[in-house]
Amino acid sequence: MPRRPLARRTFLRGAAQAVIALPLLEAMLDDHGTALAGGAPLPTRFMTWFFGNGVLLPRFEPTAVGPDYPLSEQLAPLADVRDYVTVLTGLQNRCEKIITHHEGMTAFNGYTMVEVDGLFSKAGGPTIDQLVAQTVGDATPIASVHLGISKHVSIMDSGTTMFALSHKGPNEPQYPKFNPQEVWTELFGAFVPRPDDRALRTSILDAVRDDVSRLRARLGKHDNQRLDAHLDGVSALEKKITAATPICTLPDMPSEANVDLKGREPITAVNDVMSDLLVYAFACDITRVASCLFIGGAAETVFSELGQSAGHHFHTHDANAQDLVHDGVVYIMERFAALLKKFKAWEDVDGKNLLDSSIVYCSSDCAEGISHTIARQPIILAGHGRNQLIYPGIHHQVTPFPFSDGNTSDVLLTCLRAFDPTAASIGGGAPMSTTPLREIAGPAFAG
């Protein structure tokens, strides 16, 4: 049957203000399935992911460069997504002011902090996620979403630099939400029917049943199968789904609220729930940009699940506790890997997965916590953003250990040009970059 294009931002609307978001369907694509019906490219997503207090460089950096690099002790948890991971080492963060920890955040925006006074500072300019959101944010209901996992942020620092990973500018921090229920409300609350006092209430699916019938006539066979899976409760559909097809079933509000139990944070549980919510939001094009503050800069997060009783930041400053620091970094990479595995497991409408269509930028507030150094500040890139970045991933070492050179902001500009090929620079002052790192560019990179 001839296919008539369907607008990407189509919703099913029925009585009682019921609204259901649709997944990306083939009817929303062009004839080749490589772009949206109107000619716009398929969605590319971007995320920043932060963990405080750095790593242990000798146990973090791979021992060989290029493709097929060996995963180090601290990168071993990424084995299942190894092909999607590029590791960048030997770079220099060129921040012009040194406070401890604050300067490391330059790796997310390319600007030296402003209004510096002791351990107080504000971000010097917009972060990379907000620059990407300026380019793609208008295409989705929510321009960007900001998640937080560990609530135990620094008790010594002040200002905005250390408490928000995302900033629209020096005085516009985008603070993270630490409660998954609040994140669910922000992302999906608009798609839930408002409660009323009627004794007999119409279900969402009943409310949109007539709309479903009209929509069905506009869809081809495969899209009807996807719609069948998406509206699992709709009866008497013409065909039953015959293969595992990605669906966008509205998730229930999670029971997890990130509440400490006897002083212990449920970090793994919160990370899993937040990751699930973000996967749905990306897959259903509710947003294309996100940030995640896993543990804050200089934060005293206690990894109680590892049997630790003191804060991770405290351990980094104890020369005799570096094995505990190592255990903490491995745990952090396990949680990062859990997110990436969920991305990899979700099949997009074009048959690829969310790592194929996303770029995830991961770094810390220093290279090593014990010295606060921002030389050789490591950066991990996951995903390739529809071939904007190199795939399979590589280990690109700018300068051999223990030296550092180059500019961490070059990586930021590479990521920005994946979304805005016209971007001439990123950042300001000494950390500014006008040169993308072409060694990590993919075949679709036009910057």
Side-chain angles (χ1 to χ4, degrees):
M1 123 181 177
R3 189 190 68 176
R4 286 175 282 178
L6 188 68
R8 178 187 59 78
R9 296 182 72 175
T10 297
F11 296 90
L12 299 179
R13 303 178 187 274
Q17 298 178 328
V19 181
I20 295 179
L22 286 175
L24 190 62
L25 301 172
E26 286 182 348
M28 301 174 186
L29 308 183
D30 65 7
D31 291 338
H32 302 289
T34 57
L36 296 175
L42 290 173
T44 303
R45 296 92 175 185
F46 183 76
M47 180 182 189
T48 53
W49 202 91
F50 174 86
F51 63 98
N53 304 310
V55 299
L56 300 178
L57 290 175
R59 304 176 78 169
F60 179 88
E61 295 189 355
T63 56
V65 298
D68 301 318
Y69 62 91
L71 291 172
S72 65
E73 292 177 81
Q74 294 184 349
L75 292 172
L78 300 173
D80 289 344
V81 291
R82 161 68 182 73
D83 285 350
Y84 287 93
V85 173
T86 287
V87 181
L88 303 167
T89 61
L91 287 161
Q92 177 64 47
N93 183 324
R94 296 185 179 182
C95 185
E96 298 163 288
K97 298 178 181 178
I98 303 299
I99 300 177
T100 69
H101 294 283
H102 292 237
E103 58 269 19
M105 306 305 286
T106 300
F108 288 86
N109 62 13
Y111 290 91
T112 298
M113 310 80 64
V114 296
E115 299 184 35
V116 175
D117 183 10
L119 294 179
F120 174 97
S121 75
K122 292 184 178 181
T127 47
I128 176 65
D129 64 297
Q130 288 305 296
L131 295 178
V132 173
Q134 289 176 17
T135 301
V136 303
D138 289 344
T140 55
I142 297 174
S144 58
V145 64
H146 309 289
L147 317 176
I149 308 301
S150 171
K151 308 180 298 300
H152 292 188
V153 296
S154 173
I155 59 175
M156 298 296 295
D157 298 271
S158 58
T160 62
T161 302
M162 301 297 285
F163 298 102
L165 178 57
S166 176
H167 301 259
K168 287 186 176 182
N171 293 305
E172 296 182 272
Q174 308 298 294
Y175 290 113
K177 286 183 169 64
F178 294 92
N179 184 339
Q181 294 178 348
E182 293 180 359
V183 173
W184 182 92
T185 299
E186 178 183 359
L187 290 172
F188 315 121
F191 303 132
V192 177
R194 297 176 183 176
D196 57 51
D197 297 325
R198 292 178 298 169
L200 297 176
R201 300 186 182 185
T202 304
S203 75
I204 296 177
L205 296 180
D206 286 341
V208 300
R209 191 176 300 278
D210 291 342
D211 206 17
V212 169
S213 298
R214 289 191 295 271
L215 176 62
R216 188 191 301 282
R218 301 177 60 190
L219 300 179
K221 176 182 175 181
H222 191 198
D223 275 352
N224 266 303
Q225 290 177 329
R226 290 172 60 78
L227 189 60
D228 186 9
H230 183 62
L231 305 174
D232 193 32
V234 178
S235 62
L237 286 173
E238 209 172 293
K239 296 268 187 178
K240 294 290 185 180
I241 189 166
T242 58
T245 308
I247 60 174
C248 293
T249 305
L250 186 67
D252 294 331
M253 177 180 281
S255 59
E256 179 60 62
N258 200 356
V259 176
D260 289 8
L261 181 62
K262 295 182 178 180
R264 297 184 174 186
E265 291 190 291
I267 295 176
T268 296
V270 172
N271 186 73
D272 285 344
V273 172
M274 292 290 204
S275 298
D276 287 336
L277 295 176
L278 183 61
V279 164
Y280 179 92
F282 274 4
C284 287
D285 218 24
I286 292 172
T287 189
R288 298 181 186 177
V289 181
S291 70
C292 180
L293 192 76
F294 180 72
I295 65 168
E300 292 298 351
T301 297
V302 177
F303 296 131
S304 57
E305 292 169 283
L306 301 180
Q308 296 185 8
S309 56
H312 187 59
H313 177 236
F314 176 82
H315 286 153
T316 64
H317 290 284
D318 182 351
N320 296 318
Q322 296 305 291
D323 283 344
L324 295 176
V325 174
H326 168 72
D327 292 342
V329 174
V330 171
Y331 174 80
I332 290 167
M333 288 296 105
E334 288 173 346
R335 304 288 72 75
F336 184 51
L339 167 73
L340 300 183
K341 290 176 188 177
K342 291 177 184 290
F343 274 40
K344 185 179 179 182
W346 187 282
E347 184 183 348
D348 240 339
V349 67
D350 59 355
K352 301 184 184 300
N353 63 59
L354 288 184
L355 280 180
D356 290 312
S357 64
S358 301
I359 295 173
V360 184
Y361 177 104
C362 171
S363 190
S364 188
D365 55 354
C366 57
E368 292 187 315
I370 195 167
S371 63
H372 295 136
T373 180
I374 53 174
R376 301 191 71 82
Q377 190 168 339
I379 295 172
I380 301 172
L381 296 176
H384 56 80
R386 302 192 186 279
N387 292 313
Q388 293 290 336
L389 300 184
I390 193 169
Y391 176 82
I394 64 171
H395 170 212
H396 179 64
Q397 184 179 74
V398 176
T399 314
F401 189 84
F403 307 103
S404 63
D405 199 357
N407 185 355
T408 54
S409 298
D410 291 349
V411 186
L412 294 176
L413 184 58
T414 310
C415 292
L416 179 58
R417 287 197 181 178
F419 296 87
D420 179 9
T422 67
S425 66
I426 194 168
M432 183 177 72
S433 172
T434 59
T435 54
L437 197 62
R438 297 191 179 276
E439 290 86 348
I440 61 172
F445 188 76

